[in-house]
Amino acid sequence: MSSIGTGYDLSASTFSPDGRVFQVEYAIKAVENSSTAIGIRCKDGVVFGVEKLVLSKLYEQGSNKRIFNIDRHVGMAVAGLLADARSLSEVAREEASNFRSNYGHDIPLKHLAERVAMYVHAYTLYSAVRPFGCSFILGSHDEDDGPQLYMVDPSGISYGYWGCAIGKAKQAAKTEIEKLQMKGMTCRELVKEVAKIIYIVHDEVKDKSFELELSWVGEVTKGKHELVPKDIKEEAEKYAKESLEEEDDSDEDNM
Amino acid sequence: MSVYITFTVERLVDEIFIHNLYVEFIIMERHNSYSQVKGVSTGTTILAVTFNGGVIIGSDSRASMGESYVSSKTINKLIQVHDKIFCCIAGSLADAQAVTKMAKFQLSFHSIQMESPPLVKAAASIMRELCYNNKEELQAGFITAGWDRKKGPQIYVVSMGGMLLSQPFTIGGSGSTYIYGYVDAKFKPDMSLEEATQFSTNALALAMGRDNVSGGVVHLVVITEAGAKHIVVPGDKLPKFHDE
């Protein structure tokens, strides 16, 4: 369904007659052009997985990271315009750091998500600026409040989740996430499932090679957000590839 | 970009308290040679002690000007900055009042944004930021004590220059010098409420008995998960130590 703005879509400070702000909707479309990122919350932590498309063999491995460290206990996975996302990660870092400086303790994730969402929303109010073209997922683990996961989209709303996906294959990823019983899983089990979902939703035909970025925060990392260690990541990718082959095999049997 | 919402809550009791302190400060200025000689600690004894399940914060009730005039016999130096967080003040009363008023406002806004009661550490950090960033102008130190869901009962000392330190018990003010031995010997961690109340009352009575600028009644506030309870022990009910 294509929606033609016809004059009401030139600036973020204009509503259309049917009550939409087209610039914000176009920003959301920009996110949908980017590759997928998912975040899932389990009983003792949060795991992020990002499908990082590799456009050229000349890229250095591990460059153009799409998962950022916002604070020691907070991680952020992004989808959309990467430059916009980087600038927002700096905003989030300053918020978290100022909070700690003023109040002496780690920023609660809900509050951080709301503050960054408020910032993103401010850019949807004026014609002089354009909205941010990225969505992001924030995750953290706290020993009292447990694991938490929030997603912020370009319109400036934040939602709390058990599992969410952003980017081009978000519908397919959401379907896979809904099949999981994440509330009873641990981070170690979940890492493998996250890798599997990214492999499932990756489109072999349209996109060529990709790099999987995995990170986690939880009791397994003692509350610190960090990239999943190499050996666990390799084990997870192996599991993901094997599960895909099994499904291919069972398809062939049915035929 | 930030959104600031300012709101003022003025209660009649607070206004009268502030008015009284301002009046005293004006009179105090005429005698400021005395306060310069005495240094920066006011005539006061304040303390805070954690016990099993809560914290007691206490002070005497004398406000003095110079060496010889008691301007108030029943001043309450325990200021409530939130439901379960109290501060007791030492140093310039006017500075202390200004800082606690600002801290109360910031803490109230912070607590509403967080949608939960504030941590004692957050309250103490707010006071510390105010004391440190304005250390040239201010001369006030605090003991912040309270109860929060995360760490239970806690005590934080915010010194005049803006140091923040957490301690299981602490004493302050001019009268505190006379009771360091007593509190060091008699404090035990995890006391019961009765033991802690007795400890605080004894310590304050001993200090008030020897320090000429501390006296009056003993104000205690007991803060637990259930809330904050204010106890006043009048002069004639204080424990006596060889006073006949």
Side-chain angles (χ1 to χ4, degrees):
Chain A
M1 179 191 89
S2 72
S3 42
I4 305 166
T6 334
Y8 299 110
D9 61 347
L10 296 174
S11 85
S13 65
T14 315
F15 274 103
S16 73
D18 51 348
R20 297 151 72 175
V21 181
F22 279 105
Q23 279 296 309
V24 173
E25 294 189 15
Y26 296 162
I28 293 173
K29 283 207 190 109
V31 177
E32 283 165 18
N33 285 340
S34 124
S35 63
T36 320
I38 64 174
I40 308 185
R41 173 183 159 191
C42 62
K43 113 181 133 178
D44 65 350
V46 168
V47 180
F48 290 122
V50 177
E51 171 205 9
K52 202 168 67 176
L53 296 179
V54 174
L55 297 172
S56 156
K57 287 202 190 85
L58 296 172
Y59 278 173
E60 186 189 350
Q61 204 197 33
S63 68
N64 274 3
K65 282 202 181 347
R66 298 220 349 231
I67 300 183
F68 302 95
N69 239 321
I70 300 304
D71 197 355
R72 187 188 175 271
H73 64 303
V74 178
M76 173 168 152
V78 305
L81 302 177
L82 197 46
D84 287 8
R86 282 204 190 113
S87 134
L88 278 175
S89 76
E90 273 306 300
V91 168
R93 282 168 182 158
E94 276 178 33
E95 280 292 333
S97 173
N98 283 338
F99 186 94
R100 180 179 275 111
S101 171
N102 286 330
Y103 302 111
H105 64 95
D106 294 348
I107 187 168
L109 192 67
K110 180 161 190 280
H111 186 69
L112 176 63
E114 280 169 4
R115 293 287 298 182
V116 188
M118 213 193 297
Y119 188 90
V120 169
H121 168 249
Y123 279 73
T124 66
L125 297 170
Y126 309 102
S127 59
V129 294
R130 66 162 175 80
F132 284 97
C134 63
S135 290
F136 51 93
I137 314 175
L138 288 163
S140 86
H141 181 83
D142 173 59
E143 49 184 18
D144 296 303
D145 301 321
Q148 297 169 77
L149 188 66
Y150 283 86
M151 195 263 280
V152 178
D153 72 359
S155 65
I157 322 180
S158 68
Y159 307 86
Y161 283 93
W162 276 94
C164 66
I166 48 180
K168 60 170 67 150
K170 71 170 191 233
Q171 273 310 114
K174 275 189 191 150
T175 321
E176 292 300 320
I177 293 174
E178 277 164 22
K179 292 182 195 161
L180 291 178
Q181 301 293 329
M182 72 270 300
K183 293 185 192 179
M185 293 170 90
T186 64
C187 273
R188 284 191 189 275
E189 295 161 5
L190 191 56
V191 164
K192 297 200 275 219
E193 297 300 326
V194 165
K196 181 177 155 195
I197 294 175
I198 295 286
Y199 270 85
I200 292 175
V201 304
H202 172 67
D203 188 341
E204 287 289 334
V205 175
K206 282 195 202 149
D207 306 315
K208 317 267 162 57
S209 60
F210 78 104
E211 234 181 84
L212 172 65
E213 239 182 283
L214 276 179
S215 80
W216 59 0
V217 56
E219 277 171 29
V220 66
T221 64
K222 297 200 179 50
K224 181 167 179 255
H225 175 256
E226 53 190 29
L227 290 177
V228 168
K230 198 151 169 261
D231 50 337
I232 301 181
K233 185 172 165 211
E234 279 167 10
E235 198 190 312
E237 284 190 281
K238 192 164 142 240
Y239 169 84
K241 287 181 187 147
E242 280 167 10
S243 313
L244 273 183
E245 280 169 14
E246 270 175 28
E247 287 184 13
D248 284 344
D249 287 342
S250 67
D251 284 343
E252 283 171 10
D253 286 344
N254 285 338
M255 281 167 65
Chain B
M1 298 189 197
S2 316
V3 175
Y4 285 103
I5 302 169
T6 40
F7 55 91
T8 50
V9 176
E10 299 283 339
R11 286 186 0 217
L12 194 58
V13 173
D14 278 355
E15 282 188 348
I16 294 173
F17 183 48
I18 296 163
H19 175 73
N20 282 343
L21 283 173
Y22 284 151
V23 166
E24 283 167 12
F25 189 62
I26 292 166
I27 302 173
M28 222 167 149
E29 282 197 343
R30 292 197 205 122
H31 294 262
N32 70 14
S33 56
Y34 291 101
S35 41
Q36 275 167 358
V37 165
K38 248 174 83 70
V40 291
S41 82
T42 47
T44 196
T45 312
I46 50 178
L47 64 69
V49 56
T50 51
F51 63 94
N52 188 1
V55 58
I56 295 183
I57 189 169
S59 77
D60 71 314
S61 70
R62 180 171 292 180
S64 53
M65 276 159 1
E67 308 285 338
S68 54
Y69 178 61
V70 175
S71 54
S72 169
K73 292 183 269 189
T74 52
I75 192 176
N76 185 0
K77 300 173 194 172
L78 305 174
I79 299 177
Q80 182 169 29
V81 289
H82 207 264
D83 295 353
K84 290 182 202 151
I85 307 178
F86 277 73
C87 277
C88 47
I89 54 186
S92 152
L93 282 173
D95 288 349
Q97 183 67 17
V99 171
T100 50
K101 192 173 184 198
M102 174 63 103
K104 200 169 169 178
F105 160 68
Q106 284 188 8
L107 199 59
S108 152
F109 189 59
H110 170 70
S111 160
I112 289 178
Q113 272 189 322
M114 294 292 122
E115 294 173 358
S116 75
L119 300 184
V120 186
K121 183 137 199 226
S125 295
I126 290 173
M127 314 267 294
R128 185 267 314 273
E129 286 295 295
L130 290 166
C131 288
Y132 184 77
N133 291 332
N134 298 298
K135 61 158 75 181
E136 313 299 327
E137 285 89 12
L138 293 173
Q139 274 180 357
F142 306 88
I143 298 177
T144 306
W147 188 94
D148 65 47
R149 178 186 66 95
K150 218 169 175 182
K151 277 184 160 172
Q154 296 147 75
I155 295 173
Y156 292 92
V157 176
V158 180
S159 74
M160 232 163 258
M163 174 191 77
L164 177 64
L165 197 59
S166 171
Q167 296 190 304
F169 75 95
T170 188
I171 54 179
S174 62
S176 67
T177 53
Y178 304 102
I179 51 171
Y180 272 106
Y182 177 79
V183 297
D184 283 342
K186 286 289 182 179
F187 173 75
K188 291 181 324 230
D190 280 329
M191 289 188 278
S192 70
L193 172 59
E194 290 73 29
E195 286 174 320
T197 314
Q198 196 58 51
F199 171 85
S200 318
T201 324
N202 283 352
L204 285 166
L206 284 165
M208 282 151 58
R210 287 291 184 179
D211 186 24
N212 66 324
V213 286
S214 297
V217 307
V218 161
H219 286 290
L220 294 176
V221 174
V222 179
I223 310 171
T224 58
E225 186 176 356
K229 204 171 80 155
H230 189 186
I231 304 170
V232 177
V233 185
D236 54 347
K237 300 277 191 309
L238 285 175
K240 292 194 188 333
F241 298 93
H242 318 292
D243 279 1
E244 295 87 45

